[in-house]
Amino acid sequence: MSDSGKSLRLYRILDADTRKGVIVAFDHGLMLGPIPGLTPPRERLKMFLEGGADAVLLSPGMLRAFADLLAGRGTGIIVRLDWTNMWRDPKLLGFKEGRSCAIGSVEDAVRWGADAVLTYLFVGSTDAASEAEEIRRNAEVNRACERFGLVHIIESMARGSRVERTNSKELVGLHTRIAGELGADLIKTDFLEQESETADVICTSLIPVLLAGGPKMTESRVLALIKRSVKGGASGIVFGRNVFQAVDPVAFLRAARRAVHGHEPPLRSSVVHRHEL
């Protein structure tokens, strides 16, 4: 990565020493509304900072509302630039095959103070034109990130009626390679069950891969998954429910840091400088 702006921002998201990241996804309200664990949002965000999250993924509204909590802390800021109706339950007007759209631009993210932007890339729909639009939309964001020096994280996933197993090695390998070829700087994608499968996907990827947490699981299973994935070559995690729905999000994040980085963060004051992490 020759662009100094991208390099500086990348290591606000990943630990500069381990080159891995423990990232909390806290953008679920944008797609799902007030699900358990999101409230009160300000107090939850404080917990993530106390637990030592390297970065947080927020919606534009969340970033605007709680920018004061993030100021001066050195925690990486990732803003989601798109929305999808894929995840909602049918009882909440969900769709079997959802669609996505942009909700902001890279220029907006620069103005908001973000270090990185994140966008979905879905493959597997029955509509070929929809998949082509996913590619076009991500390519447009990526070219803008090059101009402005922001990190672009693509959340690549296989979803839709034609997908039998969302985290099969073959499908994860397919869309993560596509995301890298488009120019992404980091990838967020589905975890794989086996360490060997993770290693195979990492070997074919052009860029570092961070794993999504998926549905809520027991803490012991999640931590075992993290350790197995990191051993297989993953560069960290971007977890949502398994953090904000944990009994003790702070304790879970510290355990996740041990699994990813091999250590916990030191206790921090109200203002934390990056070199202290």
Side-chain angles (χ1 to χ4, degrees):
M1 188 179 293
S2 59
D3 188 297
S4 61
K6 275 185 177 273
S7 295
L8 290 168
R9 293 181 176 98
L10 178 66
Y11 291 110
R12 293 176 193 147
I13 296 166
L14 304 182
D15 184 282
D17 295 323
T18 66
R19 304 207 166 195
K20 294 181 174 65
V22 174
I23 299 168
V24 178
F26 202 50
D27 59 336
H28 294 61
L30 177 64
M31 273 72 71
L32 299 175
I35 64 173
L38 298 184
T39 304
R42 188 177 184 87
E43 297 308 312
R44 288 287 170 177
L45 188 53
K46 285 181 180 178
M47 290 181 179
F48 309 152
L49 299 175
E50 183 182 348
D54 293 301
V56 289
L57 167 61
L58 304 172
S59 67
M62 289 282 286
L63 179 52
R64 178 185 299 174
F66 305 123
D68 62 304
L69 287 181
L70 297 163
R73 288 186 175 268
T75 305
I77 299 171
I78 307 165
V79 64
R80 178 172 285 286
L81 284 190
D82 58 3
W83 169 91
T84 184
N85 52 20
M86 178 175 293
W87 308 125
R88 291 203 313 264
D89 188 279
K91 295 178 181 178
L92 290 176
L93 309 179
F95 298 87
K96 185 175 182 180
E97 286 194 343
R99 292 293 181 267
S100 306
C101 68
I103 60 171
S105 68
V106 173
E107 186 175 2
D108 290 330
V110 173
R111 190 173 64 254
W112 298 332
D115 298 302
V117 298
L118 186 146
T119 52
Y120 284 120
L121 171 62
F122 292 120
V123 300
S125 168
T126 54
D127 182 3
S130 173
E131 185 168 292
E133 174 59 20
E134 290 288 294
I135 297 295
R136 185 207 64 77
R137 189 169 57 81
N138 275 278
E140 185 177 88
V141 170
N142 195 267
R143 300 297 87 78
C145 283
E146 290 177 354
R147 293 195 300 274
F148 287 99
L150 259 68
V151 173
H152 184 197
I153 306 172
I154 291 183
E155 183 170 358
S156 68
M157 293 185 165
R159 296 294 189 276
S161 299
R162 296 193 298 155
V163 179
E164 295 182 3
R165 181 183 163 206
T166 58
N167 67 337
S168 75
K169 182 181 74 172
E170 292 74 20
L171 290 182
V172 175
L174 169 69
H175 55 68
T176 55
R177 183 56 181 258
I178 290 172
E181 297 278 359
L182 284 171
D185 302 297
L186 295 171
I187 291 171
K188 173 189 175 186
T189 194
D190 293 304
F191 66 84
L192 295 110
E193 295 291 347
Q194 303 297 324
E195 179 186 323
S196 59
E197 292 182 329
T198 301
D200 288 344
V201 168
I202 299 301
C203 285
T204 62
S205 177
L206 301 179
I207 53 176
V209 174
L210 304 161
L211 297 182
K216 181 70 174 70
M217 297 177 281
T218 63
E219 183 172 316
S220 59
R221 184 184 174 194
V222 175
L223 291 173
L225 169 65
I226 295 172
K227 292 175 183 177
R228 188 166 65 244
S229 299
V230 170
K231 190 175 180 182
S235 293
I237 59 172
V238 187
F239 279 15
R241 289 176 181 84
N242 285 295
V243 177
F244 61 72
Q245 291 181 351
V247 175
D248 186 340
V250 174
F252 176 80
L253 277 172
R254 289 182 173 272
R257 280 194 64 93
R258 289 194 297 272
V260 172
H261 297 307
H263 62 82
E264 293 184 13
L267 293 176
R268 301 194 284 181
S269 61
S270 59
V271 177
V272 177
H273 301 288
R274 188 65 181 179
H275 68 266
E276 296 176 347
L277 290 179

